[in-house]
Amino acid sequence: MDYPVDVGILVSYFVLIGGLLWRIHGPLQQCFRSKQSGTAIFIAGAFGAFLCTWYYMIKYFVHSYNEWDNDSSVPASLNRISHWLHSVSLFDDAWRTVSSGSLPWLWSHQLCSFTVGVWTPFLAIEGARRRIPYLWAFMLLGQVVAISTSSALFFAVVLAFPRSDLVGPSRFLNNTLLLCIAGGMVTVVLSPFVAESKWFMPNLLVMHLLLVFPLLPSKPAVYRYTEQAIFVTGIYMLSAGASLAIYVHQVASYLFATNSSVTEVVVAMIETFFSHPAQSSISSDVLWVNILCMMWMAVDTLAKNGAISLNIWVLLATTPILSATVTMPVFLALSELNALSTKRNA
């Protein structure tokens, strides 16, 4: 084998996935033991999201190999695979593919915005309140497997860990969250502009690193719930506003550039979904994130109130249109305000 290091890198990728699953096995075990209502739904969601995203991921690997292999008559071997891996950059090629062009980025930016502005604060805040360990492992698992798969697993874990109103993220963590979300949103905005330049990978690396910093182990703080709830609500509403602005800009730019109708945009997005295996994988991730967030809105609301109110129905109905990058942080902000109101009236 001529390039063992390149093969070793690919093997280490799957070893990392196994290591991350082992790292979070403790919280998952508590999740299975708790038998909370809704746990089975999110475990099934994690399985479905994994199958869909990785079906296309494997197709991307095959597509990349066939594109590289000029002589298809030569059978694949470990040595030829090592030459293929040495000649291509799978991560770079995949992300440039899904970041170049208005329609691919219209799909892909949703996942980036969600991970930066919704998933990172949700992990940090709920992890601190519920003392859930290894939050960083859930984020890394999302980055190397699929955000939707990791999201589903964490939703199931959240149901198994009781929330405390007496502890939460420290002021330092809150400030770190704000800085990382702001910096992350800047990298999201920059991505399509640097997609074909040498700055693309550094920009993407900064985005991924900023997502991990707020999730490193820290000691939960004890302070007034009112102060905590107001700050958390502010984080989620700022995230919703930033995500909505990016989303509307992307849609409006495409509409003005092409003079397309809404129906034509929908058709074009469906065609883009299947245009390339890498695009199909990340678009599947986006769809599953939307589905899982809608499931969380319903499960969480029913657990707290026993019924779904009109405003939640509106959020559920608009999620397929605006995406969970906008509706999920609004839902989380409303949950904070409702909990605060309940405490004040108690």
Side-chain angles (χ1 to χ4, degrees):
M1 185 166 56
D2 294 333
Y3 299 106
V5 173
D6 297 275
V7 174
I9 292 173
L10 182 62
V11 171
S12 67
Y13 181 85
F14 292 100
V15 172
L16 174 61
I17 293 173
L20 290 171
L21 288 171
W22 173 84
R23 181 70 282 177
I24 65 172
H25 81 281
L28 289 177
Q29 280 183 334
Q30 181 164 332
C31 164
F32 289 123
R33 285 196 299 264
S34 70
K35 298 180 180 179
Q36 290 286 328
S37 175
T39 298
I41 296 174
F42 290 112
I43 295 299
F47 187 68
F50 174 78
L51 287 180
C52 288
T53 53
W54 273 81
Y55 168 76
Y56 289 113
M57 183 65 74
I58 292 171
K59 286 191 70 173
Y60 168 60
F61 290 160
V62 174
H63 171 83
S64 175
Y65 180 84
N66 290 335
E67 199 173 50
W68 166 84
D69 188 12
N70 294 320
D71 188 0
S72 57
S73 63
V74 179
S77 64
L78 187 59
N79 191 47
R80 281 187 68 78
I81 290 173
S82 76
H83 278 261
W84 161 57
L85 292 172
H86 184 75
S87 303
V88 301
S89 178
L90 292 173
F91 184 81
D92 184 281
D93 292 345
W95 270 103
R96 285 184 191 272
T97 298
V98 303
S99 301
S100 301
S102 299
L103 283 173
W105 185 240
L106 188 54
W107 272 111
S108 308
H109 91 275
Q110 297 179 47
L111 192 66
C112 297
S113 295
F114 175 83
T115 308
V116 169
V118 185
W119 192 235
T120 300
F122 186 75
L123 281 169
I125 292 165
E126 294 305 318
R129 285 174 171 172
R130 301 169 190 269
R131 299 180 184 272
I132 300 174
Y134 313 121
L135 300 173
W136 55 269
F138 285 96
M139 176 57 76
L140 289 181
L141 186 67
Q143 292 181 5
V144 299
V145 176
I147 292 297
S148 54
T149 302
S150 179
S151 300
L153 293 176
F154 190 72
F155 282 143
V157 168
V158 166
L159 294 174
F161 282 75
R163 167 175 165 166
S164 171
D165 293 336
L166 300 178
V167 297
S170 65
R171 290 181 178 85
F172 175 78
L173 177 56
N174 284 333
N175 293 331
T176 302
L177 264 177
L178 278 176
L179 290 174
C180 289
I181 291 171
M185 285 297 183
V186 170
T187 64
V188 173
V189 172
L190 289 176
S191 289
F193 297 103
V194 298
E196 298 180 8
S197 75
K198 65 180 181 179
W199 299 107
F200 179 70
M201 286 307 295
N203 182 69
L204 199 62
L205 179 62
V206 170
M207 182 193 300
H208 282 71
L209 289 176
L210 287 174
L211 302 179
V212 178
F213 280 134
L215 306 177
L216 296 176
S218 62
K219 187 177 180 181
V222 179
Y223 57 100
R224 290 191 310 133
Y225 178 74
T226 300
E227 178 185 347
Q228 180 186 143
I230 292 174
F231 196 92
V232 169
T233 299
I235 288 178
Y236 285 134
M237 290 309 296
L238 285 172
S239 171
S243 296
L244 179 61
I246 295 172
Y247 185 83
V248 170
H249 177 264
Q250 289 300 129
V251 174
S253 297
Y254 181 77
L255 288 174
F256 290 138
T258 61
N259 198 28
S260 302
S261 66
V262 174
T263 303
E264 289 171 334
V265 173
V266 172
V267 171
M269 287 192 70
I270 294 173
E271 292 174 347
T272 302
F273 184 106
F274 297 104
S275 63
H276 190 281
Q279 185 66 58
S280 300
S281 181
I282 199 167
S283 298
S284 296
D285 209 3
V286 171
L287 287 181
W288 272 101
V289 162
N290 287 337
I291 292 169
L292 290 163
C293 285
M294 292 170 68
M295 289 163 56
W296 177 257
M297 292 181 207
V299 169
D300 188 56
T301 302
L302 289 172
K304 292 175 179 176
N305 305 323
I308 299 178
S309 60
L310 178 60
N311 58 352
I312 304 303
W313 279 117
V314 171
L315 289 176
L316 290 171
T318 53
T319 296
I321 303 170
L322 297 176
S323 86
T325 61
V326 176
T327 59
M328 184 65 170
V330 171
F331 170 80
L332 294 172
L334 288 175
S335 296
E336 291 293 325
L337 293 176
N338 289 336
L340 181 58
S341 176
T342 301
K343 275 196 159 298
R344 284 176 171 174
N345 296 331

